[in-house]
Amino acid sequence: MHIHIIAGGPFEYIPPLEHEAAKDDICWVGVDRGTVFLLENGIVPARAFGDFDSVTDEELRELKKRLPALNVFQAEKDETDLELALNWALRQRPEHIRIYGITGGRADHFLGNVQLLFKGIQHKQPISLVDKQNIIQMYGPGSYKVMQDLDKKYVSFLPFGAPVEKLTLEGFKYPLKNCHIEPGSTLCISNELIHSNGTFSFDEGILIMVRSKD
């Protein structure tokens, strides 16, 4: 099973969902106004989370009628609506969690959502933040294979919070061998795969990978 979470937008940055909506192995989850967006696109979420302060009273009444698994919270709480949804998703132990509707709006929300990727490392669950232009993922120490994506050809790597030790990139236009990368370094921005696949590996730290297109 895969879990796809639709957060509160802006929705113009969400890629078309028709292909994903046709798959049987995807559990859809709405977060706040993202729940309305799903229904407007013909997708009935299995779960919905939020304080729903971004929907009208009429829309909330309609959600309560149509969605038995609607989890409504107070606006004053310790977690964001998205974190509540992600915590539930992690407990289901899916193969992968993809989160949409998290870019293009408030910077504090976006940066907080990037930090939520660390939960995937803690729970050993892969999480991706996805929009029309980017896929953002976070990795702990290890060795990983990367497949070439002709649509999102740029591959960038950024250390998260602490230096990354012995970063090695193979199969890339700009390879590295056992490199020390400090936070704040732009050394690994806008790389590209030169073959159908490549690998990256490192011994210490946390690494963010961004796959993107112009």
Side-chain angles (χ1 to χ4, degrees):
M1 177 183 68
H2 299 253
I3 294 180
H4 288 194
I5 301 174
I6 307 296
F11 301 122
E12 59 265 29
Y13 297 98
I14 296 178
L17 301 177
E18 291 86 354
H19 178 70
E20 298 296 303
K23 297 179 180 178
D24 295 330
D25 63 343
I26 294 177
C27 172
W28 293 91
V29 176
V31 175
D32 207 85
R33 188 155 194 86
T35 311
V36 176
F37 175 83
L38 281 172
L39 291 174
E40 289 175 344
N41 283 269
I43 301 172
V44 179
R47 293 267 178 170
F49 298 83
D51 52 37
F52 295 96
D53 59 354
S54 63
V55 306
T56 66
D57 292 341
E58 182 179 349
E59 287 172 330
L60 184 56
R61 285 193 294 271
E62 183 66 18
L63 293 178
K64 289 178 177 178
K65 283 194 295 185
R66 296 187 62 180
L67 303 176
L70 186 72
N71 298 271
V72 182
F73 298 86
Q74 296 293 324
E76 295 79 16
K77 54 188 180 301
D78 293 333
E79 301 94 352
T80 63
D81 295 337
L82 178 55
E83 185 175 4
L84 291 167
L86 180 58
N87 288 341
W88 175 86
L90 288 166
R91 291 194 296 270
Q92 313 314 304
R93 305 297 300 173
E95 293 180 45
H96 199 123
I97 298 170
R98 294 169 70 90
I99 304 175
Y100 304 82
I102 42 78
T103 58
R106 285 175 50 176
D108 56 340
H109 284 179
F110 172 69
L111 292 172
N113 294 337
V114 170
Q115 293 192 91
L116 288 178
L117 289 171
F118 187 66
K119 287 178 176 282
I121 294 176
Q122 292 175 310
H123 292 265
K124 296 181 171 57
Q125 293 277 287
I127 303 172
S128 300
L129 306 181
V130 183
D131 65 18
K132 286 181 177 178
Q133 196 169 354
N134 310 280
I135 300 174
I136 306 172
Q137 298 167 303
M138 187 179 287
Y139 295 88
S143 181
Y144 304 92
K145 186 175 182 179
V146 187
M147 302 302 296
Q148 190 175 53
D149 184 339
L150 297 178
D151 179 53
K152 296 178 177 63
K153 68 175 184 177
Y154 299 112
V155 187
S156 298
F157 297 97
L158 296 162
F160 179 72
V164 168
E165 302 293 347
K166 295 188 176 181
L167 176 62
T168 296
L169 305 179
E170 297 180 339
F172 285 83
K173 183 177 181 179
Y174 307 109
L176 290 176
K177 182 69 173 180
N178 293 331
C179 193
H180 171 90
I181 308 294
E182 285 282 343
S185 170
T186 58
L187 175 66
C188 298
I189 298 295
S190 296
N191 211 331
E192 299 177 42
L193 287 163
I194 56 175
H195 302 295
S196 60
N197 62 77
T199 61
F200 68 95
S201 62
F202 60 105
D203 288 354
E204 294 181 29
I206 301 295
L207 198 63
I208 295 173
M209 182 177 75
V210 183
R211 310 200 64 172
S212 56
K213 63 180 179 179
D214 289 321

